[in-house]
């Protein structure tokens, strides 16, 4: 089974992964089963990453597995001109699952087609980022115990943000879920979730924005602020201690979600 688009998972799959992730979150580290013992994950990253690559590696180690870390393909035969197909087929000779971050939307779908082992899309250009969506939904669900009926405001580089593209696909499929998009955040509408993203200069976007005291004063007490990170200027540090700041919790949830996902897929 591959995870290329969040639409590859139906609601039952998502709930099953959440249940597992909840169990992992509750457990003490020394109690994790070693159920991925003898399994090898290849991290194949054509773009920089801190959270996604590290949390996949940590997830694998927590469950007794191992990792081939190609966290910068410039040190691989890609520099010698090897194409994506050959690289993916090669990694399939050595590992049980490939986690691929690539530069172009559609790369993950292509790679999954030629791969001999399950392939997980860890972000394909400005396409999708389905595992981020799982951890985003998990974080929202933990707070509100539901997704339906919530108002979610997306701010920032909506066009280039693959995390927003995947999350919107789920919200779109749900009835009664409002989502609003705003680029310059002059006024943030009252919402349950504020999902902020950085301006992706590497994809040609320009401009900047920042959450102000005034925005924050107008945010409902029970709302939450999320961000896939890395952040630039959009969220000032002083907001980190606000109880509505959920981005570190969100990134920690990435570990449980990826542990759950790997046990589910492998
Ligand atoms: C995001 C990504 O790479 O799409 N980061 C992440 O995986 N948590 C967001 C970004 O790069 O801005």
């Amino acid at each position: 089974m591959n995870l290329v688009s969040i639409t590859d998972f139906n609601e039952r799959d998502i709930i099953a992964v959440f249940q597992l992730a909840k169990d992992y979150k509750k457990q003490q580290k020394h109690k994790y089963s070693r159920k991925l013992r003898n399994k090898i994950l290849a991290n194949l990253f054509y773009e920089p990453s801190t959270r996604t690559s590290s949390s996949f590696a940590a997830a694998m180690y927590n469950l007794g597995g191992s990792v081939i870390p190609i966290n910068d393909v410039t040190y691989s035969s890609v520099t010698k001109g090897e194409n994506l197909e050959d690289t993916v087929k090669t990694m399939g000779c050595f590992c049980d699952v490939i986690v691929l971050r690539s530069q172009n939307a559609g790369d993950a779908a292509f790679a999954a087609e030629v791969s001999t082992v399950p392939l997980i899309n860890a972000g394909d250009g400005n396409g999708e980022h389905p595992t981020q969506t799982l951890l985003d939904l998990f974080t929202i669900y933990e707070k509100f115990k539901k997704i339906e009926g919530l108002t979610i405001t997306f701010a920032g580089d909506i066009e280039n943000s693959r995390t927003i593209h995947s999350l919107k696909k789920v919200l779109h499929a749900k009835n009664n879920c409002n989502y609003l998009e705003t680029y310059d955040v002059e006024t943030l509408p009252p919402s349950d979730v504020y999902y902020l993203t950085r301006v992706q200069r590497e994809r040609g976007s320009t401009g900047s924005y920042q959450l102000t005291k005034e925005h924050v004063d107008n945010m409902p007490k029970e709302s939450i602020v999320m961000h896939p990170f890395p952040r630039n200027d959009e969220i000032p540090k002083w907001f980190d201690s606000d109880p509505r700041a959920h981005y570190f919790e969100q990134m920690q949830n990435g570990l449980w979600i990826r542990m759950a996902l790997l046990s589910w897929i492998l």
Side-chain angles (χ1 to χ4, degrees):
M1 152 161 234
N2 303 306
L3 177 55
V4 169
S5 166
I6 191 64
T7 57
D8 294 342
F9 273 21
N10 61 31
E11 197 164 332
R12 275 196 15 227
D13 300 331
I14 295 179
I15 289 169
V17 170
F18 282 11
Q19 192 51 53
L20 268 171
K22 236 170 100 183
D23 291 347
Y24 286 132
K25 186 168 185 167
K26 267 198 303 224
Q27 272 169 36
Q28 300 294 316
K29 198 170 171 142
H30 61 270
K31 287 200 212 140
Y32 295 144
S33 77
R34 296 179 53 78
K35 71 162 146 199
L36 299 186
R37 187 174 57 235
N38 300 328
K39 298 281 186 209
I40 298 178
L41 172 148
N43 259 338
L44 184 57
F45 279 62
Y46 287 72
E47 281 190 351
S49 167
T50 301
R51 277 147 291 273
T52 307
S53 65
S54 310
S55 59
F56 265 112
M60 203 63 191
Y61 292 133
N62 277 345
L63 295 171
S66 317
V67 179
I68 303 174
I70 304 193
N71 291 338
D72 181 351
V73 292
T74 51
Y75 293 104
S76 75
S77 287
V78 169
T79 302
K80 301 179 191 170
E82 187 155 69
N83 63 33
L84 182 61
E85 176 165 355
D86 288 350
T87 305
V88 164
K89 281 185 173 159
T90 303
M91 297 320 292
C93 299
F94 311 133
C95 72
D96 302 285
V97 58
I98 295 173
V99 175
L100 174 71
R101 169 163 292 182
S102 56
Q103 290 156 314
N104 309 297
D107 279 351
F110 168 77
E113 250 172 58
V114 299
S115 180
T116 53
V117 297
L119 186 132
I120 298 173
N121 178 6
D124 58 334
N126 65 359
E128 279 207 50
H129 196 342
T131 69
Q132 177 75 37
T133 293
L134 292 175
L135 72 94
D136 290 345
L137 284 173
F138 185 81
T139 305
I140 296 171
Y141 198 81
E142 262 194 329
K143 165 74 186 177
F144 297 100
K145 312 288 174 237
K146 61 173 187 179
I147 307 290
E148 259 150 272
L150 297 178
T151 299
I152 301 178
T153 293
F154 292 111
D157 196 347
I158 287 148
E159 195 185 321
N160 283 311
S161 178
R162 52 198 174 201
T163 73
I164 293 183
H165 298 165
S166 289
L167 184 51
K168 263 171 42 182
K169 283 195 176 173
V170 177
L171 302 180
H172 203 68
K174 287 251 162 220
N175 292 324
N176 198 16
C177 199
N178 280 318
Y179 62 83
L180 310 149
E181 300 174 5
T182 167
Y183 192 86
D184 59 12
V185 294
E186 234 156 65
T187 51
L188 284 174
S191 309
D192 300 298
V193 178
Y194 298 91
Y195 192 103
L196 275 47
T197 58
R198 79 189 160 90
V199 177
Q200 304 208 358
R201 295 183 198 287
E202 75 274 31
R203 301 192 209 286
S205 296
T206 53
S208 65
Y209 72 97
Q210 190 167 55
L211 208 61
T212 62
K213 288 239 154 58
E214 200 185 334
H215 290 132
V216 167
D217 287 345
N218 288 319
M219 285 178 175
K221 282 250 158 334
E222 285 307 314
S223 63
I224 62 173
V225 174
M226 296 173 67
H227 192 306
F229 268 44
R231 66 175 148 183
N232 294 149
D233 301 323
E234 355 13 291
I235 306 178
K237 256 186 80 69
W238 56 259
F239 185 69
D240 292 357
S241 54
D242 189 293
R244 290 166 291 189
H246 269 57
Y247 26 91
F248 288 106
E249 177 84 13
Q250 179 187 0
M251 99 182 39
Q252 174 74 71
N253 283 338
L255 176 65
W256 321 121
I257 282 291
R258 287 172 176 128
M259 286 172 73
L261 181 66
L262 291 169
S263 343
W264 166 264
I265 285 184
L266 290 171

